[in-house]
Amino acid sequence: MTPDPNPLLADAGPIPFDRIRAEHVEPGIRQALAEARAVVDAIAAGDASPRWETTLGPLDEAAERLARRIAPASHLVAVAQTPELREAYNAVLPDISAFWSGLHLDERLWSRIEAYSTTEEAQSLTGIRRRHLDKTLREFRRAGADLPEAQKERLRALHVEMASLEQKFSENVLDATAAYELLVTDEDRLKGVPEPAKKRAAAKAREAGKEGWLLTLDYPSVEPILKHCEDRALRREIHAAYCLRCRDGEWDNRPLIARLLRLRDELATLLGYATFADYQLEDRMARDGTRARAFEADLVARTRPYWARDTRALEAHAATLGLDALQPWDVAFVAEKLRKAHFDLDDELLRPWFALDRVERGLFDIVERVFGFRVVEIDDDPVWHPDVRTFALYEGETRLGVFYTDWFPRKEKRPGAWMDAFATGGPDGDGFTPHVGAICGNFTPPQDGTPALLTHDEVQTLFHEFGHLLHHCTSRVAVPARAGIHVAWDFVELPSQIMENWTWERDALDLFARHHETGEPLPEDIFQRMLDARRFLGGWYQMRQLSFGTLDLLLHADVAPRLRREAATDGDDLDLRQGQEVVDLVREVLVEFSPTAAFADLHVLTSFSHLFAGGYAAGYYSYLWSEVLDADAFTRFRDAGVLDGETGRAYVRAILSQGDSEDPEVLFRAFMGRDPDAGALLERNLGSLEADAA
């Protein structure tokens, strides 16, 4: 009997998530890699007259096909991980990394592409093909294509080891998060915690065969404790457990941090860059580490007075609550009490107006009115969990994309919220190949017949991730490598962050902010209190973001080179000792961003997946960089009307559909008619000290 085909190798139809098992991962990905290598070999052995159709064309097709076959397995490791799936994926991960890093180090392939670049055909290229050729040449050089073979071999080894370390870092965070449980048996300890959160904790306890309330470290469990629990000792215990994940024990990430920093610095040095930050940022809007650090320093200086104002307000309100001194585990609690006192507003007051299904429908309505895209649910595509839903995105009769939503936490699912790209489509002859992606989160789930009710922060997160998805699924760039989200890292957050603005606009909120029981719209007085509270503690929260960005650049521009210099003379416990040194150094740096040293002690470096497993190394500054862009760009929507279709379609034409077809600065100017202005961000987030004083 013929065995069933490997579902990872299914190139037609919907992705068969329901049939992918751990045993498919190694053979499927190894076959996909072998087929991609065969294409590379054929290109490298091509005739003496290279053309687009014999070089870049088939190379792009092979790279996209390989990425499309690997993506489902990588995604399942993030959302439905089992020990068997993890083991299978880790077994083949070095081969995946070796292929991608080795692609740019293949001397035969590089020779063919260089040879093509000098042909008459290549010289006459225009538009996206010209840009793709130019950027491909630069990518090969940035990857070390011109280096001697011994250095190329070292680069290959670096990429493989870094990929394995980053995967291990992520697994440690997942395991440490999943392993923690705290059973509360005295309900008085949960005084102040909203009833829905208590019900979820009780349900978790019952599922575990225990009596009481089971607290875990997934964020829907952590947040209500830190924000609402009056038991200060319990807040402290949960806060410390969350912040100190992976700082010692079985899932200790300190050695991984030290080694990753050294390896990244070695890679940058091999490629001729002063620091890893300079290497990472060369092809981004910031261009180099110096400019990114100047951006951070300028915003730190401009934010500090507002941060000082907010710190004084928190400390003063903590005193009125009988707290002897503001501690890290008090901030969310005090902030909620202060917001309630100032604006008579808290998350639980708003939740009833943000039922997940209605929020999604409202978002889709906004997308249709503003951008001209229609969303239709699909009922029969296979999924990886019953919570997952599938949709198609249309422009007219053209199906631009298919996407999945997966919003609730599970033990086998990593924390946070993100978008995954499974396939990059685009114009295809006279037709259009749909893009495929997913958006995932860890929102408050439904409970006891009550629908999933979101906080306003969760609503913003949903809109944010959908912005990434739109960027991916609406791309009309014919070259996949230059399509969708394949843009400069400090530009990629613009399409996501701009979407959050609609969650603050009355005309948009009226489409989805309705009470889940009565259907009444969000009352005007509550809406006005939301607006009044929008800048609440804006200086505090913006300084927190700046602390992460500053720290990230310091680690990759200053600390990593020092660790590598010192490594030559150190012994066997080098990684652990240097990892602890980094943890201690981070504390020293964060003191400048903290009211007291206690805040700097409880930092999250050892679980900071953005920097050590999520692609944001030397790039965390880009969140605020992109915020400058999104706040400024949204002023055009606000001036025209936030549901204005003409403005929305202009944005689609200028930015959303353009991928990396032009430099980001050019795309921004095409929409705004000028360069970005940081004033809109500062006004939106911080307001005026003079107005506050008045």
Side-chain angles (χ1 to χ4, degrees):
M1 186 171 65
T2 304
D4 290 337
N6 191 311
L8 282 178
L9 302 176
D11 291 324
I15 301 171
F17 281 112
D18 58 333
R19 294 193 289 112
I20 298 172
R21 302 287 183 267
E23 61 265 25
H24 298 127
V25 172
E26 281 196 71
I29 291 179
R30 292 193 193 284
Q31 181 176 332
L33 287 167
E35 291 176 9
R37 287 192 192 100
V39 174
V40 171
D41 290 341
I43 295 170
D47 59 34
S49 302
R51 304 180 310 281
W52 180 278
E53 287 75 14
T54 61
T55 54
L56 289 181
L59 180 62
D60 293 337
E61 290 172 8
E64 169 58 23
R65 188 181 191 208
L66 176 61
R68 193 168 63 241
R69 290 169 156 192
I70 293 173
S74 173
H75 178 72
L76 289 174
V77 168
V79 298
Q81 188 174 121
T82 63
E84 296 79 13
L85 184 64
R86 174 191 290 188
E87 182 180 359
Y89 186 73
N90 283 345
V92 78
L93 183 61
D95 295 316
I96 297 171
S97 179
F99 176 84
W100 291 120
S101 61
L103 199 64
H104 293 101
L105 299 175
D106 188 320
E107 187 173 346
R108 305 165 306 143
L109 182 63
W110 173 228
S111 296
R112 295 296 294 166
I113 292 174
E114 267 198 314
Y116 172 67
S117 71
T118 64
T119 64
E120 184 176 344
E121 178 188 284
Q123 295 299 313
S124 66
L125 290 176
T126 59
I128 188 61
R129 287 194 170 189
R130 175 78 255 170
R131 180 173 177 82
H132 181 49
L133 174 59
D134 291 343
K135 295 204 78 171
T136 299
L137 291 168
R138 186 166 69 181
E139 286 166 0
F140 268 82
R141 294 188 178 105
R142 273 177 49 81
D146 288 329
L147 291 178
E149 183 55 36
Q151 291 181 330
K152 286 183 181 179
E153 192 59 37
R154 180 56 185 157
L155 281 175
R156 292 187 188 98
L158 286 172
H159 282 293
V160 169
E161 184 174 2
M162 287 191 299
S164 295
L165 290 171
E166 288 167 0
Q167 178 68 14
K168 180 61 176 173
F169 186 100
S170 178
E171 290 172 0
N172 283 349
V173 175
L174 179 68
D175 290 345
T177 301
Y180 180 88
E181 292 181 347
L182 176 64
L183 184 67
V184 175
T185 56
D186 181 359
E187 189 172 4
D188 286 345
R189 297 203 70 191
L190 299 176
K191 185 178 180 182
V193 177
E195 281 303 314
K198 288 171 62 176
K199 287 181 179 179
R200 288 193 300 275
K204 286 182 180 180
R206 288 194 299 273
E207 290 170 7
K210 301 176 181 179
E211 293 185 7
W213 297 264
L214 195 64
L215 305 182
T216 60
L217 293 185
D218 63 83
Y219 203 67
S221 177
V222 170
E223 184 183 47
I225 299 298
L226 297 186
K227 280 189 172 183
H228 302 289
C229 184
E230 295 186 15
D231 187 323
R232 195 182 193 189
L234 184 55
R235 292 201 310 270
R236 178 176 185 170
E237 184 168 354
I238 293 296
H239 181 271
Y242 188 81
C243 292
L244 298 178
R245 286 172 297 168
C246 305
R247 204 181 281 196
D248 57 19
E250 183 179 356
W251 303 293
D252 192 348
N253 272 338
R254 290 174 299 169
L256 277 61
I257 287 172
R259 184 145 187 83
L260 274 167
L261 288 173
R262 293 200 313 269
L263 295 179
R264 288 169 178 173
D265 187 69
E266 182 182 354
L267 179 141
T269 303
L270 269 176
L271 293 170
Y273 295 86
T275 69
F276 185 76
D278 288 338
Y279 164 69
Q280 285 285 79
L281 304 187
E282 182 185 44
D283 60 351
R284 301 182 185 181
M285 294 181 76
R287 302 304 178 200
D288 58 42
T290 299
R291 188 177 177 201
R293 294 177 88 171
F295 169 80
E296 290 279 326
D298 175 63
L299 277 184
V300 166
R302 296 166 78 170
T303 305
R304 191 166 291 280
Y306 298 89
W307 174 77
R309 170 204 66 188
D310 293 345
T311 301
R312 290 192 298 270
L314 286 167
E315 290 174 336
H317 200 67
T320 70
L321 297 173
L323 302 177
D324 51 356
L326 185 71
Q327 298 291 348
W329 46 89
D330 297 326
V331 170
F333 179 77
V334 174
E336 277 299 291
K337 295 289 189 184
L338 184 57
R339 185 161 71 144
K340 179 77 171 174
H342 278 197
F343 310 107
D344 193 21
L345 191 71
D346 61 27
D347 282 341
E348 298 311 307
L349 177 67
L350 292 173
R351 249 189 227 278
W353 276 273
F354 295 127
L356 173 59
D357 283 354
R358 192 184 289 273
V359 170
E360 277 191 332
R361 291 197 301 272
L363 168 60
F364 298 159
D365 194 1
I366 291 167
V367 165
E368 183 167 3
R369 294 183 187 212
V370 178
F371 305 127
F373 304 126
R374 182 167 48 94
V375 178
V376 178
E377 186 161 9
I378 301 171
D379 294 326
D380 55 356
D381 276 13
V383 296
W384 55 89
H385 189 275
D387 288 343
V388 178
R389 297 166 68 193
T390 313
F391 300 88
L393 183 76
Y394 288 88
E395 184 175 43
E397 297 305 311
T398 301
R399 180 180 279 200
L400 298 179
V402 172
F403 66 92
Y404 307 83
T405 64
D406 182 358
W407 291 130
F408 304 127
R410 301 183 292 274
K411 274 198 169 186
E412 66 274 15
K413 181 180 177 184
R414 74 174 173 88
W418 70 95
M419 191 279 286
D420 269 340
F422 297 142
T424 301
D428 181 14
D430 295 330
F432 193 94
T433 300
H435 309 277
V436 185
I439 41 179
C440 304
N442 282 273
F443 296 158
T444 307
Q447 183 73 34
D448 294 339
T450 301
L453 302 177
L454 308 185
T455 67
H456 189 251
D457 283 345
E458 289 176 327
V459 174
Q460 291 182 81
T461 297
L462 192 156
F463 273 63
H464 178 106
E465 299 307 332
F466 195 79
H468 281 309
L469 187 85
L470 280 180
H471 197 194
H472 173 61
C473 284
T474 64
S475 174
R476 288 190 171 273
V477 178
V479 176
R482 306 296 159 213
I485 59 173
H486 301 131
V487 300
W489 200 275
D490 43 13
F491 191 64
V492 77
E493 293 294 335
L494 166 60
S496 58
Q497 289 177 179
I498 199 171
M499 288 301 299
E500 296 180 34
N501 289 280
W502 275 273
T503 71
W504 293 95
E505 298 293 332
R506 178 87 251 187
D507 288 348
L509 286 166
D510 281 346
L511 299 176
F512 63 86
R514 294 182 176 272
H515 197 281
H516 74 99
E517 292 177 333
T518 67
E520 68 169 303
L522 187 71
E524 182 62 21
D525 68 309
I526 294 180
F527 172 65
Q528 289 301 325
R529 280 182 270 156
M530 276 179 60
L531 292 184
D532 292 341
R534 186 174 187 183
R535 298 190 188 99
F536 175 62
L537 299 181
W540 177 275
Y541 296 124
Q542 184 157 295
M543 189 65 90
R544 183 174 184 270
Q545 282 292 90
L546 288 164
S547 72
F548 292 152
T550 300
L551 179 66
D552 171 32
L553 290 165
L554 175 74
L555 290 176
H556 288 99
D558 295 346
V559 176
R562 177 177 61 78
L563 294 179
R564 198 160 71 86
R565 286 194 303 269
E566 294 173 356
T569 57
D570 280 307
D572 293 338
D573 61 347
L574 168 68
D575 291 343
L576 179 57
R577 286 190 292 109
Q578 285 194 334
Q580 183 58 47
E581 288 174 16
V582 175
V583 167
D584 294 340
L585 174 65
V586 167
R587 177 193 177 280
E588 295 174 19
V589 173
L590 291 182
V591 165
E592 293 298 314
F593 298 87
S594 306
T596 68
F599 285 80
D601 288 336
L602 290 170
H603 60 74
V604 296
L605 186 75
T606 51
S607 60
F608 202 168
S609 296
H610 276 73
L611 301 193
F612 299 108
Y616 275 86
Y620 200 86
Y621 77 94
S622 62
Y623 277 110
L624 276 173
W625 185 286
S626 295
E627 269 202 70
V628 168
L629 303 179
D630 98 70
D632 195 18
F634 193 71
T635 61
R636 180 172 171 184
F637 284 98
R638 185 165 288 141
D639 291 344
V642 297
L643 299 180
D644 181 63
E646 183 177 343
T647 305
R649 286 160 178 77
Y651 169 72
V652 172
R653 289 192 301 272
I655 293 177
L656 202 60
S657 66
Q658 293 300 308
D660 188 41
S661 59
E662 291 277 5
D663 286 344
E665 297 86 347
V666 174
L667 299 181
F668 188 90
R669 283 194 292 269
F671 181 62
M672 291 298 291
R674 56 169 175 76
D675 289 333
D677 180 353
L681 172 71
L682 298 175
E683 170 63 21
R684 184 182 75 186
N685 287 5
L686 304 180
S688 165
L689 287 173
E690 292 76 13
D692 292 340

